[in-house]
Amino acid sequence: MAPFTLAHLSDPHLPPLPKPRLIELAGKRALGYVNWTRNRHKYQRREVLDALVADVQAQTPDHIAVTGDLVNLALEAEFAPARAWLDGVGPPDRVTTIPGNHDAYVHATSHRFGEIFAPYLAGDDGSIGFPSLRRRGPLALISLSTAVPTLPLMATGTLGRDQLASLEAVLDRLAAEDAFRVLLVHHPLKSGARQKRMTDAGALLGLIKRHGVELILHGHDHIHSTMWFEGPNGNIPAVGVPSASALAHGRYPAAAYNLFTIEKDNAGWRCEQTVRGLGSGFQIRQIKQARLI
């Protein structure tokens, strides 16, 4: 069987930001809009995102995972352009997305992501909800949502009891199958920033320790990262990636994505990671390769 390739990008924060109506700039959005106009518009760039996506498509992956924050302030006017952008990345059977905290920025539009991106969220059974399960080749893609509206200056995420209980049932069912299990979640499972953490990460780590998965993919932090978490048969890699539209700024690297090559290796699995990212002249180049499993 030929290796299966999975591309992972995250946090496109689709630029430019539509001009909001005054009534939309109450509460948390007001601070977010000031941050965008003063800072973020300088380094979240559409030409960067377009160059990165073109390179992803040139690699002809079997599937693409986008782990959230497609929009910025969850303005109603942001969702249609974001859906048009995702349609350009690939069709729903070749692309899976999940929401991030910016996609559920405020209560008023927190439901819109699920409505607009339903074909890209739906599980193989057609249901819209989390966790969802998609089988693609040897992969079992398990999508979670940590996207909940939060107070100003907070960017935490939460799974909740119901989603955690359903996830345990999904992992129980998959235990009897010969599948490479990939967990998609926006927030990292460990964070040094209290205002950006997943509030119930401990419960998720407990599930993973008992049941295991082969790979965890996340975004949110806008940096390259690989963390390892205990599973029933050894440590499990959790890989994060920078914002897909970012110029390098401060401690944050330029836009990049990961390409995972997955295949059976005797009785187990082999997974190799290739990192490709923005270089000079908006050219995308290979940054590194590593074997994870």
Side-chain angles (χ1 to χ4, degrees):
M1 180 183 295
F4 189 96
T5 56
L6 173 66
H8 171 224
L9 58 98
S10 196
D11 298 75
H13 289 284
L14 192 71
L17 183 70
K19 186 173 180 60
R21 296 174 297 154
L22 186 60
I23 195 173
E24 294 178 300
L25 291 181
K28 184 171 183 173
R29 277 194 183 134
L31 293 174
Y33 184 66
V34 169
N35 186 31
W36 176 270
T37 55
R38 289 185 177 179
N39 299 300
R40 295 188 68 171
H41 79 279
K42 300 173 185 176
Y43 52 82
Q44 305 285 174
R45 303 279 291 274
R46 181 59 186 257
E47 61 267 39
V48 172
L49 181 59
D50 289 346
L52 197 78
V53 169
D55 192 79
V56 171
Q57 293 169 333
Q59 307 305 312
T60 63
D62 295 296
H63 201 76
I64 301 171
V66 184
T67 51
D69 280 0
L70 276 67
V71 301
N72 296 285
L73 306 183
L75 299 167
E76 183 60 42
E78 287 186 271
F79 287 104
R83 171 61 193 265
W85 170 78
L86 194 62
D87 287 343
V89 174
D93 63 327
R94 300 292 295 273
V95 179
T96 298
T97 193
I98 60 171
N101 55 296
H102 281 262
D103 302 313
Y105 204 67
V106 294
H107 284 281
T109 54
S110 59
H111 62 292
R112 293 295 282 144
F113 192 91
E115 295 174 348
I116 298 296
F117 297 100
Y120 292 92
L121 303 172
D124 288 337
D125 61 0
S127 64
I128 306 294
F130 298 98
S132 68
L133 177 63
R134 290 180 151 195
R135 296 299 303 265
R136 299 293 185 269
L139 271 60
L141 294 163
I142 308 162
S143 295
L144 302 178
S145 174
T146 54
V148 293
T150 58
L151 294 173
L153 304 179
M154 298 296 289
T156 53
T158 301
L159 292 166
R161 291 183 182 178
D162 290 347
Q163 192 174 176
L164 286 163
S166 296
L167 174 61
E168 184 155 32
V170 169
L171 293 176
D172 275 338
R173 293 198 304 271
L174 288 173
E177 301 183 29
D178 188 20
F180 188 93
R181 298 160 297 177
V182 182
L183 197 66
L184 305 178
V185 61
H186 179 69
H187 287 75
L189 278 66
K190 182 178 180 181
S191 176
R194 180 175 175 79
Q195 72 276 14
K196 296 184 68 174
R197 76 194 192 284
M198 186 195 309
T199 61
D200 47 5
L204 178 57
L205 287 170
L207 280 180
I208 290 168
K209 183 177 179 179
R210 294 194 300 274
H211 296 276
V213 293
E214 278 62 54
L215 179 64
I216 302 163
L217 302 180
H218 68 86
H220 192 55
D221 284 344
H222 295 197
I223 59 173
H224 297 283
S225 69
T226 302
M227 295 182 280
W228 297 84
F229 296 103
E230 186 178 358
N233 300 305
N235 288 335
I236 298 165
V239 182
V241 70
S243 165
S245 63
L247 296 172
H249 58 286
R251 69 182 184 89
Y252 297 104
Y257 72 95
N258 291 312
L259 193 67
F260 300 95
T261 304
I262 299 155
E263 61 184 322
K264 288 292 292 183
D265 184 11
N266 298 320
W269 295 98
R270 181 184 182 94
C271 177
E272 294 185 349
Q273 174 193 17
T274 300
V275 184
R276 295 182 63 82
L278 186 71
S280 60
F282 292 97
Q283 298 297 308
I284 307 300
R285 59 185 177 87
Q286 182 173 306
I287 297 173
K288 75 167 189 175
Q289 283 186 308
R291 179 171 177 178
L292 294 177
I293 301 172

